[in-house]
Amino acid sequence: MSHLIDLPEELRIQILSKLDYRSLLRCSSVCTSLYHTLKQSSSLQYIVELALNGMQDAGTDIPHAELLSRLRSRRTRRRTARTRLDCKCPSIIIPIGSRRQVHAYELVGGIFAQSRGEKLKVIWLPTATSVGRKIKREGIPIRDFAIDPTLDVAAILEDDKLPMSLTQARHIRIHIRSISADHTHPLAHQSPLCVDVPPHSQYGNALFTAVIQLAEDLVSLYTSKGHTMFMPRVLIWNWRKGILIYDSDITVLPSGTYDFTLLNRSSFLLTSRRDHGSLLLFTLPDSPASSPELVATLSLPTLNPAYHIQSIGIHSGPIQSDHPPPNTPFTSIDAERLHVVNVTYWTATRMNGDQGQFAFSMYVHNRVFLAYLEGRGRACTVHYDSVVETDDSMDNTDDSVVDWDAWGPKNTLFMPNRSPPHWLRYVHGQRVICSTGSAVVDILDFGYSRTKSTVQLCVSTTSFPVFVADVVTRLPCHTSQLELHYECYAYMIDEDRIIGIVMGDGMELYVYSF
């Protein structure tokens, strides 16, 4: 170590810059000299603060001192949001039509997009330092859509407007379009992507659920035929190559499947209502000739025999490519993206005045799922500083089932449900916005920079008789409150703003910029 200390400061910084942030922090505790090197070097400080904020460098030519200043300014804006937003009027109010006119919507990368019939309106939202703009596209009847501004791509599920039929097949068409220009995306090998839905003897060709997702060069479609997610189907294409990678009609989904989400471009997750509930982690095949592999099944808390799962949905912020927009200094790390699992439990037997239904939300980082996928189903513990540890004594059985006690308490926060029932995009990155029933909103922040102390939340069987034992979870979370100008029907959040949805004669977006 004396040889490192004796080197010139410039060489010492150059060597230390090859380390990750955890190693840098350890080095700074070795001696006073290394401590001062870390404190006085903007490039080393930038490495540490990027990681502590769940961000990654976007590869610009901006000097490290300027990048560090911007990163700290970003953190300061969030910490002072309460004084900046209290009783403040929204920076802009955007009318978006009546509730019946909004068929589908998205909030990704500072863009709010909504569809109505054949019309797609795309709005670049204003920030504290920039004005917004909007464009309109027409021509394709829209059932659902997804966008990724970093790739300038929109995947549009065409509404074929076919009536329900017990004999006629439904033809699914997904158009791969450019957001900024009104034409097929230049990188799409084929558009539209097509597949048929044969009629069912009871439900015919009806599609109760049809949800589009994008993950870099993948586009997925999740469908079901009934209110209880009867006959779910997952289809995944590589939209650049025009290839159907996976169709669950060929390899049947596990029984009890309720919801689906892409984790990244090489894996996905299914939620299951079977038994006590579980999250099933799959890797995608390298070629369409192979089937996805079930790597791990993460179990939920053990239920009281009188209760069963009525629904188990999952929601997270959007997946964006590794190609950030121009002049973007740093971007969120996808592994730090937060998932919200909303579970509703129900019983037909009510005792001692207990209600028959309870709803809970479980918060978990994407890196927890990725750690199991990378470890091929081995039990993992992921701490708040993102250090992943594996325990050889806790290897799973052949079917890769991981008990709740082996993964849930340290890696999740499990609490009574606070998610809006009918409006999404309430989670972005590591933050969740929750309504309190007034103009005050709660921001749950699962980022590292302010949540290093261990917290513990207990769902007691005394108050919630759903489970056989108390559910104790310890994922760190910092909660702050903001008082806005107006109580809204629902709220969305992204990197730079809070967006309230106001219901009146028409729907309006109240945009509050940090």
Side-chain angles (χ1 to χ4, degrees):
M1 182 60 68
S2 60
H3 299 294
L4 177 61
I5 295 174
D6 292 338
L7 289 174
E9 186 80 358
E10 294 80 4
L11 286 178
R12 196 188 310 176
I13 292 173
Q14 188 175 351
I15 293 171
L16 292 174
S17 66
K18 306 299 182 182
L19 302 176
D20 60 33
Y21 86 98
R22 291 188 298 272
S23 299
L24 282 174
L25 292 176
R26 292 189 186 106
C27 283
S28 69
S29 64
V30 171
C31 66
T32 303
S33 178
L34 288 180
Y35 174 81
H36 287 301
T37 298
L38 177 62
K39 285 296 183 181
Q40 294 170 7
S41 168
S42 58
S43 60
L44 298 181
Q45 283 286 299
Y46 180 58
I47 293 172
V48 172
E49 296 217 19
L50 269 178
L52 292 179
N53 285 275
M55 309 292 285
Q56 60 187 350
D57 185 72
T60 64
D61 294 328
I62 302 173
H64 284 124
E66 174 64 20
L67 290 170
L68 181 61
S69 176
R70 292 189 187 185
L71 188 60
R72 287 173 172 172
S73 176
R74 171 185 176 273
R75 184 180 61 203
T76 300
R77 289 199 308 272
R78 292 189 175 190
R79 286 182 173 178
T80 60
R82 180 177 179 85
T83 56
R84 288 170 54 84
L85 289 177
D86 274 0
C87 304
K88 175 185 174 184
C89 293
S91 57
I92 189 171
I93 299 176
I94 304 173
I96 58 173
S98 69
R99 185 175 181 180
R100 291 184 178 181
Q101 292 176 323
V102 179
H103 295 165
Y105 66 93
E106 264 288 17
L107 177 65
V108 184
I111 292 178
F112 178 81
Q114 67 173 92
S115 67
R116 183 179 66 185
E118 296 185 2
K119 298 180 179 180
L120 179 65
K121 181 188 292 185
V122 182
I123 303 170
W124 279 261
L125 297 171
T127 68
T129 58
S130 65
V131 297
R133 62 187 178 95
K134 63 183 178 181
I135 59 174
K136 293 182 180 179
R137 300 281 180 251
E138 294 188 43
I140 302 173
I142 301 173
R143 169 75 185 263
D144 192 32
F145 69 93
I147 61 174
D148 184 349
T150 62
L151 294 175
D152 189 37
V153 63
I156 299 174
L157 173 62
E158 181 178 337
D159 187 352
D160 58 15
K161 299 186 181 297
L162 283 178
M164 190 275 193
S165 170
L166 294 175
T167 59
Q168 185 179 8
R170 185 175 296 277
H171 305 291
I172 289 177
R173 292 160 59 91
I174 299 176
H175 300 262
I176 308 299
R177 309 285 291 181
S178 170
I179 297 174
S180 60
D182 194 14
H183 56 62
T184 298
H185 196 282
L187 297 180
H189 182 269
Q190 173 186 335
S191 182
L193 305 170
C194 302
V195 71
D196 288 341
V197 177
H200 181 262
S201 58
Q202 179 181 356
Y203 293 98
N205 62 3
L207 290 182
F208 176 73
T209 301
V211 180
I212 287 278
Q213 257 190 294
L214 279 167
E216 300 186 40
D217 57 354
L218 299 187
V219 60
S220 68
L221 175 65
Y222 181 67
T223 68
S224 69
K225 287 185 173 293
H227 290 269
T228 57
M229 301 302 177
F230 177 70
M231 290 187 66
R233 184 179 183 183
V234 174
L235 297 126
I236 302 175
W237 290 265
N238 184 309
W239 60 264
R240 292 196 183 194
K241 298 179 179 179
I243 298 173
L244 181 62
I245 297 175
Y246 173 55
D247 182 355
S248 64
D249 266 12
I250 299 174
T251 57
V252 180
L253 295 176
S255 63
T257 296
Y258 189 88
D259 204 358
F260 160 89
T261 190
L262 289 169
L263 298 177
N264 55 24
R265 69 170 312 280
S266 61
S267 60
F268 65 88
L269 179 151
L270 296 176
T271 68
S272 173
R273 298 189 303 166
R274 186 176 178 181
D275 300 327
H276 306 286
S278 58
L279 308 177
L280 285 65
L281 308 181
F282 290 82
T283 55
L284 280 168
D286 294 328
S287 68
S290 304
S291 299
E293 179 187 356
L294 176 59
V295 175
T297 299
L298 308 183
S299 302
L300 296 189
T302 304
L303 291 177
N304 179 325
Y307 283 83
H308 69 270
I309 294 179
Q310 187 176 52
S311 65
I312 175 169
I314 186 167
H315 179 54
S316 69
I319 303 172
Q320 298 187 71
S321 76
D322 292 330
H323 307 285
N327 302 319
T328 300
F330 32 75
T331 60
S332 298
I333 300 174
D334 188 65
E336 304 305 324
R337 183 164 49 94
L338 193 72
H339 293 273
V340 184
V341 181
N342 295 311
V343 192
T344 301
Y345 299 95
W346 180 84
T347 180
T349 305
R350 303 190 187 187
M351 298 179 295
N352 302 322
D354 292 334
Q355 66 186 75
Q357 182 173 289
F358 293 93
F360 295 89
S361 292
M362 182 179 71
Y363 304 93
V364 54
H365 282 106
N366 199 40
R367 57 185 152 84
V368 174
F369 302 141
L370 299 181
Y372 276 99
L373 290 165
E374 292 167 3
R376 311 303 298 172
R378 292 179 63 195
C380 302
T381 300
V382 189
H383 299 295
Y384 71 84
D385 62 354
S386 80
V387 178
V388 179
E389 297 180 355
T390 58
D391 185 350
D392 292 330
S393 67
M394 296 169 60
D395 281 347
N396 297 316
T397 58
D398 291 339
D399 58 358
S400 297
V401 175
V402 185
D403 290 338
W404 167 258
D405 290 340
W407 82 277
K410 289 186 178 180
N411 296 322
T412 73
L413 196 65
F414 194 94
M415 65 172 65
N417 181 276
R418 300 193 61 189
S419 304
H422 305 301
W423 202 275
L424 300 180
R425 293 306 183 218
Y426 54 84
V427 54
H428 179 85
Q430 302 184 75
R431 295 189 300 166
V432 180
I433 187 167
C434 303
S435 173
T436 62
S438 68
V440 176
V441 296
D442 286 344
I443 307 292
L444 310 184
D445 190 342
F446 292 84
Y448 305 138
S449 59
R450 289 178 290 169
T451 57
K452 293 184 179 180
S453 61
T454 301
V455 296
Q456 179 169 296
L457 183 66
C458 178
V459 174
S460 169
T461 56
T462 304
S463 302
F464 303 98
V466 179
F467 310 104
V468 297
D470 293 349
V471 179
V472 179
T473 50
R474 294 183 289 275
L475 179 66
C477 173
H478 175 85
T479 302
S480 59
Q481 286 194 330
L482 303 177
E483 184 174 354
L484 303 179
H485 148 264
Y486 195 86
E487 180 183 354
C488 299
Y489 166 75
Y491 299 92
M492 299 182 289
I493 190 170
D494 71 1
E495 196 69 39
D496 299 306
R497 51 189 81 76
I498 290 172
I499 302 167
I501 298 93
V502 177
M503 308 289 285
D505 295 334
M507 293 177 63
E508 294 178 321
L509 299 182
Y510 280 36
V511 182
Y512 298 85
S513 298
F514 288 114

